[in-house]
Amino acid sequence: MANKKLKIKLLPNGEIQMHTEGVKGKKCLEYAKLLEILTDSKIQTQEFTQEYYEAEEYETINNQNCN
Amino acid sequence: MSVTVVSLPVLLIYGVVAAATAAVNIAGEAATTSEYQNTKSQELQNRIKQSIEENNGCMTEELMQEFCKEFETVFMDKDILIKTLDEHGLKNIECEGENIQGQIENFTVSFSRENTNTPYKMKISCTQQQDETNMVQDINTEYAMNVQEETYIKLKERLEEKHMEIEHEEVLDDDSIVITVNID
């Protein structure tokens, strides 16, 4: 199981960037919301990486078994 | 996914919500001149001197309107702003509601806003011809760095409250702070 991490970067201009690693699918959106809460901030931009479009592992396995 | 957020103490005004990969330089966009009124008449100079003498080193509001520059800012947090002004060296900092004023060198610097949901407007008046550009840029930069510091402290406290493990921290060459959180 891949290590799941949040990489939170605090820039000296007051901006915050966060990158999720090992988080598949839409789960990452929850962490974006969490970041807002943790830092009293608002999302300005979002970019979806390849992992966003990858289904979470347990979903993939279930689909295979059904077939 | 990658997410860019802006701390509430810093609100982007000049809406450059650009492509997701672009980092917005808030400090650089923060201050622009909206209006400059200046007169070099001797009569005005005399009025300024008299005003300063009679008002404990400050210019009256009326005179400030005649001889001042006004800027839009991204400053949202009052406490961070006051801290920034103090660290920058402003003297006689006075705060009344959402109005803040102080002096440095020949400048009277004031901030005001209508409510806490909008950023402060900055007004600078000067008793003599002097370039305020460096001072404005410095205050912008210092405010942003104070925002970074406050955010760092707050983030670590809240991660601890939520029992989220910080795996690694590092400071980069550009003074960015990267915190890696394990969420396994």
Side-chain angles (χ1 to χ4, degrees):
Chain A
M1 192 171 178
N3 278 347
K4 296 179 184 176
K5 298 182 200 295
L6 304 178
K7 288 210 164 181
I8 304 170
K9 184 177 182 181
L10 311 179
L11 282 75
N13 66 357
E15 197 174 273
I16 306 165
Q17 295 174 353
M18 183 182 77
H19 185 81
T20 58
E21 289 183 3
V23 180
K24 313 288 186 186
K26 294 183 179 179
K27 182 80 175 175
C28 61
L29 297 176
E30 295 176 18
Y31 290 107
K33 280 291 176 189
L34 177 63
L35 179 67
E36 285 188 312
I37 295 169
L38 289 173
T39 56
D40 290 335
S41 58
K42 289 186 177 178
I43 293 175
Q44 186 182 31
T45 60
Q46 284 185 154
E47 179 184 354
F48 298 123
T49 60
Q50 181 61 35
E51 284 185 326
Y52 178 80
Y53 300 104
E54 293 174 10
E56 291 188 42
E57 288 181 354
Y58 74 87
E59 287 180 347
T60 304
I61 292 169
N62 281 343
N63 286 339
Q64 289 175 345
N65 288 339
C66 287
N67 295 333
Chain B
M1 72 177 290
S2 285
V3 171
T4 302
V5 298
V6 177
S7 287
L8 288 179
V10 182
L11 175 67
L12 184 63
I13 297 294
Y14 295 99
V16 185
V17 182
T21 53
V24 178
N25 186 340
I26 296 168
E29 299 268 335
T32 61
T33 303
S34 63
E35 184 178 355
Y36 179 61
Q37 298 172 348
N38 180 27
T39 173
K40 297 180 184 177
S41 71
Q42 188 61 45
E43 187 267 338
L44 179 61
Q45 293 290 340
N46 291 338
R47 286 168 59 202
I48 291 170
K49 284 182 186 173
Q50 183 179 2
S51 171
I52 290 170
E53 286 167 4
E54 293 174 356
N55 294 282
N56 295 323
C58 299
M59 291 171 69
T60 62
E61 185 66 29
E62 180 190 346
L63 274 176
M64 284 179 69
Q65 294 297 331
E66 289 188 58
F67 198 72
C68 73
K69 283 186 179 180
E70 189 170 300
F71 301 87
E72 300 287 341
T73 79
V74 296
F75 306 149
M76 291 288 291
D77 189 291
K78 185 178 179 178
D79 292 335
I80 293 178
L81 177 56
I82 291 173
K83 180 187 175 196
T84 302
L85 297 176
D86 181 56
E87 290 174 348
H88 188 75
L90 262 71
K91 306 295 181 192
N92 305 321
I93 296 175
E94 294 177 355
C95 185
E96 186 177 334
E98 294 303 319
N99 299 306
I100 305 167
Q101 181 172 288
Q103 283 86 43
I104 183 167
E105 297 174 2
N106 296 309
F107 298 110
T108 296
V109 184
S110 64
F111 296 85
S112 63
R113 61 179 177 182
E114 291 182 357
N115 57 66
T116 57
N117 296 320
T118 57
Y120 284 93
K121 290 187 193 241
M122 176 198 282
K123 279 187 185 176
I124 298 177
S125 58
C126 190
T127 56
Q128 51 187 280
Q129 192 73 11
Q130 195 164 346
D131 187 5
E132 75 293 321
T133 306
N134 287 341
M135 180 185 68
V136 172
Q137 286 288 357
D138 287 345
I139 290 175
N140 280 332
T141 300
E142 290 158 17
Y143 178 90
M145 292 192 73
N146 279 331
V147 167
Q148 182 195 40
E149 181 184 350
E150 293 285 323
T151 304
Y152 171 75
I153 293 169
K154 189 186 305 179
L155 176 60
K156 289 197 67 176
E157 282 175 357
R158 292 177 179 176
L159 285 172
E160 187 174 342
E161 285 170 10
K162 291 185 177 296
H163 306 292
M164 296 178 75
E165 177 195 350
I166 296 176
E167 187 177 284
H168 185 64
E169 279 185 51
E170 80 181 292
V171 180
L172 306 182
D173 290 341
D174 65 355
D175 292 327
S176 294
I177 304 169
V178 179
I179 298 175
T180 302
V181 182
N182 188 344
I183 52 173
D184 270 336

